[in-house]
Amino acid sequence: MEIFGSTFDDSVFLEARHRVCESLSSYNAKVCEPEWFCNSTALDTNDALEKQKVYKFRGDLAVRQGNYQKALEAYSSCLEWIADNNLTIRRDVLEGMSRCCTKLGQRDRALELADLLSKEASNTCHLTSLLLLKVSIYDHFGATASKMSSLEQLCSLLPFNPWHWLNLGQMCLQQLENNKITGSCSSERSKSAGEQNDGEAEDKTDWLKACICFIRTRLLLRILQQQQSSFVLQRSENALHSTDEALQRLSPKEATLQALTEVMSEDLIPEKMREDYQDGESLTSVCVQSFRERWWNKVLMIGVLHTDGYQRNEELKS
């Protein structure tokens, strides 16, 4: 009986064939001076690719310098010279233009450019970049509801990324604290029973979302810590510490905490975490359930909002 690996193919021991080494033509590398693309002569060419590079580099440099109007003009010029089949550079330039418009306070134009990117998204990487772009736009202009919706979509698209869950949880917690400040400032004026009920229902929703987000973050970070080291591990430990502090401030009852943990850990199976929702996967093969369908409805089914686990907004520890 042969032992596995004890035999070799005879071809391994054959002499390599004599190869004819053909002389290669000499190659002269192009040497560019720093910021060569800023020279007035850089555009003295009929090569569309060269013009695209010049405008792209000028835009990137202007962004780095904080001159967003100049960067927007450079990116706009670059867009005219990008080949139809060069989708990567086109997406990069459109995103740069959208971010410049955001910095310049041009909300409608920034969202319009984001919509162009959404029409060309073909894989999960594209969609992830688009959602992160929208989060930054909505955050800049204070569109809380839209920002929260984009973060929920990120959590649904990449359910095993703890940082999106952490961001969503922090936003819900901030919303609760803002409601507390707003409520104390408006305590002098009388409120109708309907307004009070609506405000309390909104607080309950934000409280519960914050709880499930921080619980999910903690679960994911603990799993990832087993494979991390160095500064990556340190970052996770810091985030885990912040998550524990946030849960202490939310103060869910032990029974509530256990019930939510069970719901939020149902899909945390190692095999599934490795295979599902891989970056770059075609959108045609990705079936993304909404945040409500995948987690929220399950949480509501266990009746958490009807238990004593909810702490009223004014009881949150500052």
Side-chain angles (χ1 to χ4, degrees), residues 5-19:
S6 62
T7 59
F8 299 93
D9 193 293
D10 292 340
S11 61
V12 174
F13 302 98
L14 297 179
E15 294 184 2
R17 296 181 179 179
H18 178 68
R19 298 177 180 177

Side-chain angles (χ1 to χ4, degrees), residues 34 81 83 87-88 99 128 142 154 172 217 244 261 277 299 303-304 312:
W81 296 99
L87 299 181
T88 301
R99 293 188 181 278
T128 301
L154 277 170
C172 293
T217 300
D244 290 336
T261 301
Y277 301 97
V299 171
V304 172
R312 289 186 59 83

Side-chain angles (χ1 to χ4, degrees), residues 40-222:
S40 57
T41 59
L43 291 172
D44 294 342
T45 176
N46 294 325
D47 190 341
L49 181 58
E50 283 297 315
K51 289 188 176 183
Q52 170 206 297
K53 291 179 180 178
V54 170
Y55 284 122
K56 177 67 166 59
F57 293 156
R58 286 182 179 181
D60 292 344
L61 179 62
V63 169
R64 189 172 184 178
Q65 295 173 341
N67 192 338
Y68 300 108
Q69 182 59 48
K70 183 179 180 180
L72 180 59
E73 294 172 358
Y75 285 143
S76 298
S77 299
C78 177
L79 200 60
E80 299 176 4
W81 296 99
I82 299 177
D84 294 337
N85 61 346
N86 196 344
L87 299 181
T88 301
I89 296 297
R90 175 179 167 80
R91 293 187 62 83
D92 192 17
V93 171
L94 286 174
E95 181 176 342
M97 292 174 65
S98 182
R99 293 188 181 278
C100 287
C101 289
T102 301
K103 294 291 186 179
L104 294 171
Q106 303 174 14
R107 174 178 175 172
D108 292 342
R109 178 58 176 161
L111 291 174
E112 180 182 335
L113 291 165
D115 288 339
L116 286 177
L117 286 171
S118 66
K119 294 177 182 178
E120 300 177 0
S122 60
N123 55 50
T124 55
C125 287
H126 291 169
L127 187 53
T128 301
S129 298
L130 173 63
L131 290 172
L132 289 173
L133 173 62
K134 287 186 174 181
V135 167
S136 66
I137 296 174
Y138 295 136
D139 179 68
H140 183 84
F141 292 103
T144 304
S146 297
K147 178 184 176 183
M148 187 173 294
S149 176
S150 295
L151 284 173
E152 288 178 357
Q153 291 179 61
L154 277 170
C155 291
S156 298
L157 180 67
L158 302 171
F160 307 125
N161 185 313
W163 308 108
H164 299 324
W165 287 98
L166 179 60
N167 290 337
L168 180 58
Q170 290 173 339
M171 185 177 180
C172 293
L173 184 59
Q174 184 63 44
Q175 187 75 2
L176 274 171
E177 294 174 345
N178 291 341
N179 291 344
K180 176 183 177 181
I181 297 174
T182 303
S184 61
C185 292
S186 60
S187 59
E188 296 181 358
R189 68 180 182 87
S190 60
K191 291 184 178 181
S192 65
E195 289 177 333
Q196 292 178 352
N197 292 336
D198 290 343
E200 184 175 347
E202 183 178 351
D203 284 357
K204 286 182 177 181
T205 300
D206 289 336
W207 176 85
L208 183 53
K209 279 189 178 180
C211 286
I212 65 176
C213 288
F214 287 125
I215 289 172
R216 179 78 171 187
T217 300
R218 184 165 65 179
L219 290 168
L220 289 169
L221 287 174
R222 287 175 176 174

Side-chain angles (χ1 to χ4, degrees), residues 248-295:
Q248 289 178 4
R249 294 172 65 184
L250 292 167
S251 302
K253 297 293 184 179
E254 186 61 33
T256 302
L257 185 63
Q258 182 177 356
L260 292 176
T261 301
E262 291 178 0
V263 173
M264 300 309 293
S265 61
E266 287 179 352
D267 63 332
L268 298 186
I269 305 170
E271 292 75 14
K272 189 172 184 179
M273 294 178 66
R274 285 196 299 266
E275 297 175 0
D276 286 5
Y277 301 97
Q278 296 297 314
D279 288 344
E281 188 175 357
S282 172
L283 291 182
T284 57
S285 60
V286 175
C287 180
V288 182
Q289 289 180 293
S290 69
F291 190 89
R292 172 171 290 275
E293 291 174 344
R294 187 156 188 177
W295 291 284

